[in-house]
PDB file of all heavy atoms in Angstrom:
ATOM      1  N   LYS A 850     -12.781   0.825   0.845  1.00 98.00           N
ATOM      2  CA  LYS A 850     -12.689   2.036   0.130  1.00 98.00           C
ATOM      3  C   LYS A 850     -11.571   2.872   0.820  1.00 98.00           C
ATOM      4  O   LYS A 850     -11.673   3.089   2.077  1.00 98.00           O
ATOM      5  CB  LYS A 850     -14.011   2.755   0.176  1.00 98.00           C
ATOM      6  CG  LYS A 850     -14.893   2.378  -0.903  1.00 98.00           C
ATOM      7  CD  LYS A 850     -16.055   3.305  -1.154  1.00 98.00           C
ATOM      8  CE  LYS A 850     -17.015   2.701  -2.086  1.00 98.00           C
ATOM      9  NZ  LYS A 850     -18.345   3.197  -2.010  1.00 98.00           N
ATOM     10  N   PRO A 851     -10.637   3.388   0.095  1.00 98.00           N
ATOM     11  CA  PRO A 851      -9.631   4.111   0.837  1.00 98.00           C
ATOM     12  C   PRO A 851     -10.070   5.446   1.591  1.00 98.00           C
ATOM     13  O   PRO A 851     -11.132   5.925   1.168  1.00 98.00           O
ATOM     14  CB  PRO A 851      -8.563   4.609  -0.368  1.00 98.00           C
ATOM     15  CG  PRO A 851      -9.453   4.454  -1.568  1.00 98.00           C
ATOM     16  CD  PRO A 851     -10.381   3.420  -1.311  1.00 98.00           C
ATOM     17  N   GLY A 852      -9.364   5.794   2.662  1.00 98.00           N
ATOM     18  CA  GLY A 852      -9.772   6.930   3.371  1.00 98.00           C
ATOM     19  C   GLY A 852      -9.656   6.701   4.852  1.00 98.00           C
ATOM     20  O   GLY A 852      -9.136   7.693   5.490  1.00 98.00           O
ATOM     21  N   PHE A 853     -10.007   5.697   5.422  1.00 98.00           N
ATOM     22  CA  PHE A 853      -9.969   5.506   6.839  1.00 98.00           C
ATOM     23  C   PHE A 853      -9.623   4.079   7.219  1.00 98.00           C
ATOM     24  O   PHE A 853      -9.936   3.180   6.436  1.00 98.00           O
ATOM     25  CB  PHE A 853     -11.323   5.803   7.444  1.00 98.00           C
ATOM     26  CG  PHE A 853     -11.725   7.244   7.209  1.00 98.00           C
ATOM     27  CD1 PHE A 853     -12.435   7.572   6.179  1.00 98.00           C
ATOM     28  CD2 PHE A 853     -11.405   8.234   8.141  1.00 98.00           C
ATOM     29  CE1 PHE A 853     -12.897   8.973   5.857  1.00 98.00           C
ATOM     30  CE2 PHE A 853     -11.773   9.514   7.988  1.00 98.00           C
ATOM     31  CZ  PHE A 853     -12.469   9.895   6.761  1.00 98.00           C
ATOM     32  N   GLY A 854      -8.937   4.015   8.327  1.00 97.00           N
ATOM     33  CA  GLY A 854      -8.626   2.595   8.896  1.00 97.00           C
ATOM     34  C   GLY A 854      -9.891   2.089   9.648  1.00 97.00           C
ATOM     35  O   GLY A 854     -10.856   2.776   9.786  1.00 97.00           O
ATOM     36  N   GLY A 855      -9.800   0.825   9.931  1.00 98.00           N
ATOM     37  CA  GLY A 855     -10.804   0.224  10.835  1.00 98.00           C
ATOM     38  C   GLY A 855     -12.037  -0.165  10.063  1.00 98.00           C
ATOM     39  O   GLY A 855     -13.066  -0.474  10.731  1.00 98.00           O
ATOM     40  N   GLN A 856     -11.993  -0.233   8.705  1.00 98.00           N
ATOM     41  CA  GLN A 856     -13.204  -0.643   7.993  1.00 98.00           C
ATOM     42  C   GLN A 856     -13.236  -2.193   7.804  1.00 98.00           C
ATOM     43  O   GLN A 856     -12.233  -2.809   7.889  1.00 98.00           O
ATOM     44  CB  GLN A 856     -13.306  -0.039   6.616  1.00 98.00           C
ATOM     45  CG  GLN A 856     -13.307   1.528   6.604  1.00 98.00           C
ATOM     46  CD  GLN A 856     -13.333   2.086   5.235  1.00 98.00           C
ATOM     47  OE1 GLN A 856     -14.261   1.835   4.486  1.00 98.00           O
ATOM     48  NE2 GLN A 856     -12.244   2.810   4.803  1.00 98.00           N
ATOM     49  N   LYS A 857     -14.355  -2.740   7.360  1.00 98.00           N
ATOM     50  CA  LYS A 857     -14.488  -4.162   7.214  1.00 98.00           C
ATOM     51  C   LYS A 857     -13.955  -4.620   5.923  1.00 98.00           C
ATOM     52  O   LYS A 857     -14.161  -3.840   4.849  1.00 98.00           O
ATOM     53  CB  LYS A 857     -15.985  -4.423   7.270  1.00 98.00           C
ATOM     54  CG  LYS A 857     -16.361  -5.901   7.362  1.00 98.00           C
ATOM     55  CD  LYS A 857     -17.831  -6.147   7.639  1.00 98.00           C
ATOM     56  CE  LYS A 857     -18.215  -7.611   7.660  1.00 98.00           C
ATOM     57  NZ  LYS A 857     -18.164  -8.222   6.332  1.00 98.00           N
ATOM     58  N   PHE A 858     -13.226  -5.691   5.926  1.00 98.00           N
ATOM     59  CA  PHE A 858     -12.551  -6.352   4.679  1.00 98.00           C
ATOM     60  C   PHE A 858     -13.644  -6.674   3.703  1.00 98.00           C
ATOM     61  O   PHE A 858     -14.737  -7.207   4.017  1.00 98.00           O
ATOM     62  CB  PHE A 858     -11.911  -7.614   5.174  1.00 98.00           C
ATOM     63  CG  PHE A 858     -11.127  -8.288   4.053  1.00 98.00           C
ATOM     64  CD1 PHE A 858      -9.930  -7.906   3.647  1.00 98.00           C
ATOM     65  CD2 PHE A 858     -11.685  -9.434   3.488  1.00 98.00           C
ATOM     66  CE1 PHE A 858      -9.202  -8.571   2.642  1.00 98.00           C
ATOM     67  CE2 PHE A 858     -11.099 -10.140   2.448  1.00 98.00           C
ATOM     68  CZ  PHE A 858      -9.849  -9.667   2.014  1.00 98.00           C
ATOM     69  N   ARG A 859     -13.404  -6.219   2.405  1.00 98.00           N
ATOM     70  CA  ARG A 859     -14.345  -6.613   1.283  1.00 98.00           C
ATOM     71  C   ARG A 859     -13.962  -7.922   0.747  1.00 98.00           C
ATOM     72  O   ARG A 859     -12.716  -8.117   0.193  1.00 98.00           O
ATOM     73  CB  ARG A 859     -14.177  -5.529   0.193  1.00 98.00           C
ATOM     74  CG  ARG A 859     -14.651  -4.140   0.594  1.00 98.00           C
ATOM     75  CD  ARG A 859     -14.387  -3.289  -0.546  1.00 98.00           C
ATOM     76  NE  ARG A 859     -14.929  -3.595  -1.763  1.00 98.00           N
ATOM     77  CZ  ARG A 859     -15.881  -2.879  -2.383  1.00 98.00           C
ATOM     78  NH1 ARG A 859     -16.198  -1.722  -1.867  1.00 98.00           N
ATOM     79  NH2 ARG A 859     -16.429  -3.295  -3.537  1.00 98.00           N
ATOM     80  N   GLN A 860     -14.870  -8.826   0.747  1.00 98.00           N
ATOM     81  CA  GLN A 860     -14.518 -10.232   0.269  1.00 98.00           C
ATOM     82  C   GLN A 860     -14.102 -10.205  -1.231  1.00 98.00           C
ATOM     83  O   GLN A 860     -13.424 -11.115  -1.711  1.00 98.00           O
ATOM     84  CB  GLN A 860     -15.755 -11.185   0.610  1.00 98.00           C
ATOM     85  CG  GLN A 860     -15.989 -11.498   2.001  1.00 98.00           C
ATOM     86  CD  GLN A 860     -14.884 -12.223   2.638  1.00 98.00           C
ATOM     87  OE1 GLN A 860     -14.177 -13.037   1.955  1.00 98.00           O
ATOM     88  NE2 GLN A 860     -14.777 -12.067   3.899  1.00 98.00           N
ATOM     89  N   ASP A 861     -14.697  -9.157  -1.968  1.00 98.00           N
ATOM     90  CA  ASP A 861     -14.296  -9.177  -3.442  1.00 98.00           C
ATOM     91  C   ASP A 861     -12.807  -9.024  -3.700  1.00 98.00           C
ATOM     92  O   ASP A 861     -12.374  -9.219  -4.759  1.00 98.00           O
ATOM     93  CB  ASP A 861     -15.250  -8.224  -4.184  1.00 98.00           C
ATOM     94  CG  ASP A 861     -15.084  -6.827  -3.670  1.00 98.00           C
ATOM     95  OD1 ASP A 861     -14.297  -6.497  -2.750  1.00 98.00           O
ATOM     96  OD2 ASP A 861     -15.859  -5.974  -4.267  1.00 98.00           O
TER      97      ASP A 861
END
Side-chain angles (χ1 to χ4, degrees):
K850 273 196 187 157
F853 297 90
Q856 303 179 64
K857 192 171 175 291
F858 181 83
R859 295 172 60 114
Q860 292 294 332
D861 57 2

